[in-house]
Each structure stands twice: as C-alpha cells, then as structure tokens.
Amino acid sequence: MNIIIKGTTLLNPEQKINEKSDLLISDGIIKKIGSLNDGDYKNAKVYDFNNAYSVPGLFDMHVHLREPGREDEETVLTGSNSAAAGGFTGVACMPNTNPPIDTAEIVKFIKEKSQSHLVDVFPIATATHERKGEGLSPMLELSEAGAVAFSDDGNAIKSASLLRNAFEYTKMIDKVIIDHCEDESLAEGAMNEGITSTVLGLPPIPSIAEDIIVMRDIITAEYTNGKIHIAHISSKNAVDMVRQAKKKGIYVTAEATPHHFTLTEETVKSYDTNYKMNPPLRTKEDVDAIIEGLKDGTIDCIASDHAPHAIEEKEHEFIYAPNGVVGLETTLGLVLTELYHKKHLSIEKLVEKLSINPRIILKLPIPQFKEGEKANLTIFDPNLIWTVDIQKFQSKCRNSPFDKRLLTGKMLAVINKNKIYYENSFFTI
Amino acid sequence: MSLESKHLLGLYGTSREDIELILDTARTFREVLERPIKKVPTLQGKTVVNLFFEASTRTRISFELAQKRLSADTINFTTSTSSTKKGETFKDTVRNIEAMKVDMIVVRHESAGVPQFLTRISNANIINAGDGTHEHPTQALLDMYSIKEKLNKLEGLKVCVVGDIAHSRVALSNIYGLTTMGAKVSVCGPSTMIPHSLIKLGVKIYNDIDKAIQENDVLNVLRIQLERKAGDRIPSLREYRNYFGITTERLNKFNKEIIILHPGPINRGIEISSEVADGPYQVILDQVTNGVAVRMAVLYLLGTKN
C-alpha cells in the first residue's frame, strides 16, 4: 500500500536535511522524496500535515516495561502502545523485571513480544547475574540474543571491581554500561536533602549519593578505557563531572529525564507521591545545570525513565510509595514546551537528543530520509497546544505529576515497520 | 473565637492568634483537671479515632484521656506494623475507618505527610500526633504552655532544643511555634544530629552544651532515640553523655535559673542525669499534665468549630 506524507518539513541533522518535502512510502519503504506527480497520488492514502516536522523516529533509551513480572502495571504491548502514542518508534527497556533480563531466553521473549508491533523494543540486559551485584551476567550470550547494553538499573553497579570487570568484558562486544548512579549507603531517603526535606520531615538523600558514583564510574571508565552511560543525571555536580570527563576524552555519555529539567523538590511540599522519583527531584540550581548540560552537549540525550506503578502502590504513605513516573506520553510535549519554546534547544538539537544520540550510544542504525530506506519517522507539530490527561494514557498506569498540564507541541503520527500510528489507531501500510 | 484551620497538621504557618487561643483555652481545661469531677460534656456525641501506626504510649494515653474528659466517644486503632506491610493500602485503611462515621482523627505515623494525605481522603478533623521527623504540634504546644506557666511569657525568651534534631519532630514544631510566639529558638547537639539547612530557618546552632546553658532561658532536652540509628551518628552513648548530657555540675557552673523540659520517655543518665530530671528546674511532670489540657483545648476548638 502507498501513503503520502504531505506538507511536512523533513529534518534529519545526521543527514543535514531540513527542507519542506513530500514523502511517498510504499510497503513501508521510502519510495520518493520531493515533487510527487499525479501518478504517485493515485492509489495512495494522503496524510496532509501542515506546519509539522518529519524526523527520524524518536527513541527512548530508558523505559520500564514491567514484563515479565508486573504485567498488571505494564506489558511489552501496552508500553509499546504508550511509546507510539508519545511519538516514539523505538525504546530500550531496562532489565529490573522479575525475573530480571539476565538470560538469553528473556531477551528473546521480549523481542518476540514486540515483533509485530510498530515500536522497536531493544532489551537492556543486567550487568550482573540476577541483578544482584555479584558476578557478571552472561554478556556475550545476552548480546548475541539482542541485548543492546547492560545495566543494573534500579541500583548502581555494586562495586568498583565489578564495574571494572564489566568495562573490560564488554570491550569484546563494544557495548555500553548504563549506570543508575546512587551510593546505597547514602540513599536511604525519600527526597533530595536540603531545607525542603528538613521542613517536610522526610528522610533525605543527599545529591552526593549520585555524584560519588558518577565520579567512580568516570574514573573507572578512564582507567579501563570502558564506555559508561550515566542514566537520569540529576545533580549539578554530576553534570560538571561529565562535562570535565568529556573534555578529557573519556567515553562518557549521559541522559536527563523531562521531570528533572522541569520540576524541583518544591513540588514535594504537597506530599503527592507522583513527585517521588529516584533520583529525587532537586533544586532550581540543579534544573538549570541540566538545561545547561543539554545545551552545551554534556548531556547527550533525553529519556523518560518511564516507570509505571499501580495506583494502589503510589497511594501509599510517602516514605513507602515507589519511585517513578509514566513518561513516554509526555516527554515530547515537555521537551518542546520547556526546551524548544523557551529557546534552550533548537529543533535539530532536540531531534539529536530524542532520536539520533540514543541510537549512536546503543550502536543502532539511524533512520534516513532516503529513497529505498525503511520508513521510520515521527511527525510532530511543535506548536499544537494540548492538555495532558492521564486518563487518556495508553500506558496501563496513571502516575504522572503532569496531569492537566498545558503543553505546546505534540506528535501527530509515527511510522515504522510498515505501520502507521495515527489518531490513536495502528494501520498497516 | 475559633481556629483558622479545620485541622491541626503542624505549627508551620499556624498563626500567633491560633496558638494563643489554644494556650488560653488550655488554661481553662487545666483548671478543670484540678476539680474533683474532671469531666465536661463539651464533645458529647462526637467520635474520635486515635489512629496510631507507630508505637506510642504517652501521647496516645494523653489524647485518649483528653477525649474522655471532654465526653467524646473514643476508638483506638493501634498497629505497630503499617498497613502497607499487611497488603492493605493506607487509603483503604482510612476509608474503612471513615465509613464508620467518625468526626475527628488523631494520627501518628512514621511517614511525614500522612496527616496532610488524610485531609485529602477524609472529611474528619485531622490532628497530627507526630508524623515521621516532620511535626508533633501538640507536643510543642504543651511545651509552650509549660514554659509560659513557669515564666509567664514566651516573647523574648531564649529556648534551646538539645539532642538529635535531625530525627526529631518535636524540634521542628518547637522551632515553628516558639518563633511565631516571639521566642528565640536555638538547637544544640553533635553536628551529625543537626541538619545544616536549619540555619536557613534562622535557628542558631550550638555544638557546645555549656554555651547553650549559659545563653538560654529554657532547655528542651530530647530523648536520644537509640532505635533511630543514633549509633551511626555518635560514637557512643558515653561520649554523648560526657559532652551533651545535662547534669547538675553543668547547670551549677553558671549559677542561673533555667527551665528544663523533656518530652519523655527519659533515658536517665544519658541525655539528662537523674538529679536534673528530678531537680528543681525541671517541669517534666507538669508537661504531662499540661499535655492533657492542651489536647483537650485542641480537640474542643476543632470539634466545636461550626
């Protein structure tokens, strides 16, 4: 079947393309770019998007799909629907499932579950056996089965010696270690440490809990020539450390979440558990440092840390409630509203951080606007104003602090694997 | 006269007028407690639930007695393990109790913010009887009442809270309440037990107990909570006693009158010596009696508010 994407600006910073051009897609393959003739329009379904961009399909390299183990909270299918609804054509899912993604069978299980879906799902496997921090996972076998990176997300890699070995071992397959940077001995709290935690009487987590592990990881990466990716960076000091390490030529990359560049610890004053995150929401100074890091390239990408939680768990007392936020369906809107419209990031930079860089870090091919290439693209209108409604989420869960928030910029359609997601429905093309 | 708020969640933001009203009302009830018949019919027909998710003996008994003195119907819901650990959500627990048509809930919980959460899911008046390391407003109110009873004023007094400030809900409520009433509040303790950020609240910090004794009119001595991992933050109880314990020798050095409060239960020989705990300056047992009167005042003012 043929479809035509009419009226959008094709933008791919990797290819240095930025021009208004029509696209003819035939059986999922880009057939023609530019001036289409009457023959092309014949037998083609036309999607007319004015004032919209077509960009290489967005990619979220940090999501929790909860399957296997907590299918009541999310599954590969519902998480993929949520990704498509948020404008993503690919995600990398974290291995802190139950059982964790630490065998080739589980990697394959997830890949099979997502096989026929529009959204590509790439499992990240554990760095250690059973994610217990004692001994490496079978990384060669996991990699062969399709794992794109290794992480003990939810916890930091337990010891410097394990991390060192992980760096050495993964050199054989050239894959990155993603670390959730948090020193366990300092992290037994519920919010960022400071005057707000004192006033609220909540047990605090100091920002150095993050900084200490970021520094450890950078030093170890330098020593072993390893590759480290810092997940959900949230503190000013950590951003500075990554900046300095990059200057020294150490292979370190970092991601930031929308909640860490839009919200501060002040929001916790409501004791609303939707503001309970790990790493915790920090100060205005940290938020500014993250935005600065995104602007100067210290922070390579934006990832949602999509973490669905059952309502009955989020409704617990603050200190017992689980951490996290449903992120896939608000990320693009928040990035456009808070970073693009506030003139921190250009559309090109935004596409790099939401599409190109995560794929580079995970060594995945970057979709191209080229005749003969597979169509893998996201179409969004940067100026469309909409209101977040958690009841309309495709995710199984509703834990979002952004409910009722007015955003400027929204996805219109995503195309990948011979399918289009448009107006809340999937169609094969 | 009535209180501005429907609940007593904490003293943060509670107005001077409200605090004065509670303390004045408490004085009336304090007199009632001296009568041969100590009961008044003020809250007859009202149902109060004491919802205690954390072990507490004296605060719960004090509230319960206050409720009985006011002729309210009282139910105790006490559980040492939280509902979370049993599988029922906190919200369900509260809704079940709410469904029994209660008018007021007195709540103690190890998580800060639970009283605020209750105001969102219940129509009852909520009284905070201690939430996490956040606030314990009735304790601070009875502390203020006891100080005022002894010194006839709060304005201009210097009050130092001594002990593990970082893990104390009493300290914060004292800081907020006393500051609102015009007293100067300071804290004293080992630096590992004092959050740095307190300076931002305008609180003076002492690490030298002698200096704290010398410069203050009142010491509010907190219990060293052995159960709250004090061990990570002080080398030993011996060192704490030697450097921060309130003893007669220390008090005698300065030849001045000083009022000693302690919210109890006392670790005799650790934060305070027996001699001081039973000595002429302490008002520790007055605090207990005043506690009933202050809680009667709070229950009365909230329970009869429209």
Side-chain angles (χ1 to χ4, degrees), chain B residues 255-267:
Chain B
N255 194 27
K256 64 177 271 197
E257 292 217 354
I258 192 161
I259 305 293
I260 309 275
L261 286 84
H262 192 301
I266 304 173
N267 290 312

Side-chain angles (χ1 to χ4, degrees), chain A residues 167-406:
Chain A
F167 280 142
E168 302 281 10
Y169 202 77
T170 46
K171 276 186 206 165
M172 294 188 283
I173 40 180
D174 196 24
K175 286 197 170 148
V176 71
I177 304 290
I178 303 174
D179 208 11
H180 164 116
C181 297
E182 181 184 43
D183 181 282
E184 238 175 70
S185 69
L186 286 167
E188 286 174 15
M191 73 170 292
N192 187 45
E193 179 165 288
I195 181 70
T196 311
S197 67
T198 300
V199 169
L200 294 180
L202 286 168
I205 306 172
S207 54
I208 58 166
E210 175 169 332
D211 304 342
I212 286 166
I213 299 298
V214 169
M215 188 44 94
R216 178 199 75 172
D217 289 7
I218 288 171
I219 292 170
T220 315
E222 181 181 23
Y223 187 78
T224 57
N225 221 2
K227 291 187 172 175
I228 185 74
H229 176 78
I230 310 292
H232 41 54
I233 198 164
S234 73
S235 93
K236 181 178 184 290
N237 273 340
V239 175
D240 282 341
M241 287 179 215
V242 171
R243 183 177 291 123
Q244 296 312 319
K246 282 189 163 180
K247 275 188 194 153
K248 279 180 82 178
I250 300 167
Y251 187 100
V252 52
T253 55
E255 79 198 19
T257 72
H259 45 275
H260 287 116
F261 61 73
T262 51
L263 304 173
T264 68
E265 59 177 15
E266 294 284 309
T267 55
V268 181
K269 284 185 175 166
S270 60
Y271 292 103
D272 180 344
T273 57
N274 281 319
Y275 295 103
K276 192 178 178 196
M277 327 278 189
N278 190 8
L281 298 174
R282 302 203 194 269
T283 65
K284 172 82 171 47
E285 232 190 336
D286 296 296
V287 168
D288 291 344
I290 287 167
I291 293 173
E292 197 46 48
L294 284 163
K295 283 165 80 168
D296 73 6
T298 301
I299 301 171
D300 304 84
C301 43
I302 294 162
S304 69
D305 194 4
H306 179 79
H309 283 293
I311 190 158
E312 61 270 22
E313 290 187 7
K314 269 289 186 186
E315 278 181 348
H316 277 313
E317 301 89 320
F318 202 91
I319 62 170
Y320 307 135
N323 295 300
V325 42
V326 169
L328 278 163
E329 293 168 65
T330 48
T331 293
L332 179 61
L334 287 164
V335 170
L336 286 163
T337 308
E338 298 294 326
L339 300 178
Y340 170 68
H341 288 292
K342 291 187 177 171
K343 305 208 181 320
H344 297 307
L345 288 187
S346 63
I347 292 277
E348 285 85 353
K349 287 278 171 212
L350 180 158
V351 171
E352 284 175 11
K353 292 184 198 296
L354 280 170
S355 174
I356 313 285
N357 293 346
R359 287 190 171 91
I360 292 174
I361 292 164
L362 299 176
K363 304 247 179 300
L364 297 168
I366 296 158
Q368 311 275 323
F369 291 117
K370 214 159 111 187
E371 287 168 12
E373 286 284 321
K374 282 182 188 160
N376 179 344
L377 57 128
T378 299
I379 299 156
F380 66 90
D381 178 348
N383 298 310
L384 184 69
I385 295 171
W386 62 292
T387 306
V388 178
D389 180 355
I390 54 170
Q391 300 309 329
K392 290 187 179 158
F393 278 176
Q394 296 297 312
S395 167
K396 276 195 177 183
C397 291
R398 302 283 173 266
N399 53 297
S400 167
F402 299 112
D403 192 28
K404 308 276 183 290
R405 196 168 172 121
L406 196 67

